[in-house]
């Protein structure tokens, strides 16, 4: 499987983690979460979970209010909660 924009595939044989990393940067804030193949059952299922979360967080962050060109603290907290719950 190949990496996609904002999603990176980790398949190192020498490490314990194999899966996808979601990383989105907007307006001075970076949101990151790892989706493990082991937790989701397969590479395709972890990719589907990562893509779903990416779409939700993109929609929320891109439509949010900005304060001096940066995301508001409430938006940052909501995005972090969304990633934690996904």
């Amino acid at each position: 499987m190949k990496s996609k924009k904002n999603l990176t595939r980790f398949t190192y044989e020498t490490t314990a983690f194999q899966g996808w990393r979601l990383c989105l940067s907007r307006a001075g804030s970076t949101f990151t979460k790892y989706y493990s193949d082991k937790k989701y059952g397969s590479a395709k299922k972890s990719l589907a979970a990562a893509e779903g979360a990416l779409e939700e967080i993109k929609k929320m962050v891109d439509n949010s209010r900005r304060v001096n060109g940066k995301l508001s603290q409430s938006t940052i907290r909501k995005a972090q909660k969304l990633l934690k719950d996904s």
Side-chain angles (χ1 to χ4, degrees):
M1 296 186 142
K2 201 170 163 186
S3 296
K4 301 178 180 193
K5 186 170 182 164
N6 300 318
L7 295 173
T8 306
R9 177 73 185 158
F10 284 90
T11 54
Y12 303 113
E13 290 145 9
T14 58
T15 63
F17 178 79
Q18 290 192 355
W20 293 89
R21 180 188 70 171
L22 178 152
C23 187
L24 180 71
S25 294
R26 292 283 193 276
S29 298
T30 301
F31 305 99
T32 305
K33 179 161 182 183
Y34 291 87
Y35 293 85
S36 170
D37 292 348
K38 186 181 275 187
K39 179 179 177 185
Y40 290 94
S42 72
K44 287 184 179 184
K45 290 178 183 176
S46 61
L47 175 60
E51 286 177 331
L54 178 62
E55 289 305 313
E56 285 183 49
I57 197 167
K58 267 185 174 179
K59 188 184 305 180
M60 181 182 56
V61 170
D62 289 342
N63 295 326
S64 68
R65 184 172 66 90
R66 314 247 182 199
V67 178
N68 296 328
K70 305 245 183 220
L71 295 173
S72 67
Q73 287 299 313
S74 63
T75 302
I76 293 171
R77 282 193 300 274
K78 285 178 187 176
Q80 289 171 341
K81 185 177 186 312
L82 178 81
L83 286 177
K84 183 180 174 191
D85 294 343
S86 68

